[in-house]
Amino acid sequence: MMKTHLFSKAILVGKLSLLFLISTFFGGCVPTRQSSTNSANNHFESFYAGEGGMQYFIKPILLKNIEKEEYLMADFTFRHQNEATDSVTVNFSIEGNELYKKIDSLVISSSSVAFATKRIELLFNEKSKRGYVSRYTTKVSQNDMRHLFGQGTWDYTIYNETLSNSFLPTPKSKKTISAINNNLFILM
């Protein structure tokens, strides 16, 4: 009986040792990302684009229309070399009860910056749990976008023939905007 008990303990120690070695080996091979609420890695990704400089993708930022219970998610993609010369691609999705088949213009503003774009392209419309999702894309100046991120309060207003709807950042989104400005745009 004693031999069986010792044998069981030896097998258990062997299994634990093997598990430790495997986890140590694979733990060193798996890429890790530091996690922090203000970490730049949580809000944007950067990629080296050769002579084109760096390409940045700012992850979706949530804005809300309180009156209509609609949501707008905006993400941004741009390249930056030594100076802001390229445009920023702004993709945004609107989710709510209304189907947006056409948007004539988009005005993005803050307390000190405002700019508008009329070249807005519909990517798709689809059904969702909340009603519909309408996905659009447009381009804006990189300098305008840099100034906008310097402000914590945004107002995205969309217009078409029959309506104008404003979307404002949630409190969490305001913190995200500030973190992106402090970790990305302030360095440019």
Side-chain angles (χ1 to χ4, degrees):
M1 176 111 173
M2 182 78 119
K3 285 184 179 180
T4 307
H5 183 64
L6 289 175
F7 184 70
S8 295
K9 279 188 175 182
I11 290 176
L12 180 61
V13 168
K15 286 181 180 180
L16 289 174
S17 298
L18 182 62
L19 182 62
F20 175 76
L21 288 172
I22 290 172
S23 65
T24 302
F25 175 75
F26 284 114
C29 296
V30 176
T32 59
R33 175 184 281 185
Q34 294 180 353
S35 179
S36 168
T37 54
N38 287 328
S39 172
N41 289 337
N42 290 335
H43 306 301
F44 70 89
E45 295 179 9
S46 58
F47 309 92
Y48 179 66
E51 291 183 25
M54 293 294 290
Q55 180 162 321
Y56 297 94
F57 172 69
I58 298 174
K59 296 176 182 180
I61 297 173
L62 178 66
L63 295 96
K64 186 175 180 180
N65 179 312
I66 297 170
E67 297 164 1
K68 297 181 95 177
E69 283 296 316
E70 291 182 332
Y71 301 89
L72 185 145
M73 295 287 289
D75 61 74
F76 311 88
T77 306
F78 64 96
R79 285 192 179 181
H80 185 84
Q81 200 164 16
N82 295 328
E83 56 188 49
T85 57
D86 201 7
S87 61
V88 176
T89 300
V90 180
N91 296 313
F92 61 96
S93 299
I94 303 168
E95 185 172 10
N97 290 326
E98 192 163 335
L99 179 63
Y100 292 90
K101 292 184 178 181
K102 183 179 180 190
I103 294 177
D104 296 325
S105 63
L106 168 68
V107 175
I108 305 173
S109 61
S110 69
S111 59
S112 64
V113 176
F115 50 93
T117 180
K118 292 187 176 196
R119 295 182 298 161
I120 303 165
E121 181 182 341
L122 174 67
L123 297 175
F124 64 83
N125 283 316
E126 68 182 12
K127 294 275 292 169
S128 76
K129 291 178 183 178
R130 291 189 182 125
Y132 301 98
V133 173
S134 300
R135 180 80 167 159
Y136 284 89
T137 189
T138 189
K139 292 195 182 286
V140 298
S141 155
Q142 198 174 124
N143 280 326
D144 287 341
M145 191 57 58
R146 185 174 48 84
H147 291 301
L148 184 68
F149 270 90
Q151 308 295 311
T153 303
W154 293 356
D155 184 345
Y156 267 60
T157 306
I158 57 171
Y159 298 93
N160 70 19
E161 295 172 350
T162 60
L163 63 86
S164 72
N165 284 340
S166 289
F167 297 86
L168 302 172
T170 64
K172 183 178 178 182
S173 295
K174 287 180 184 180
K175 290 178 183 177
T176 299
I177 292 165
S178 178
I180 292 169
N181 183 58
N182 292 334
N183 289 295
L184 175 64
F185 285 106
I186 205 163
L187 301 174
M188 294 181 177

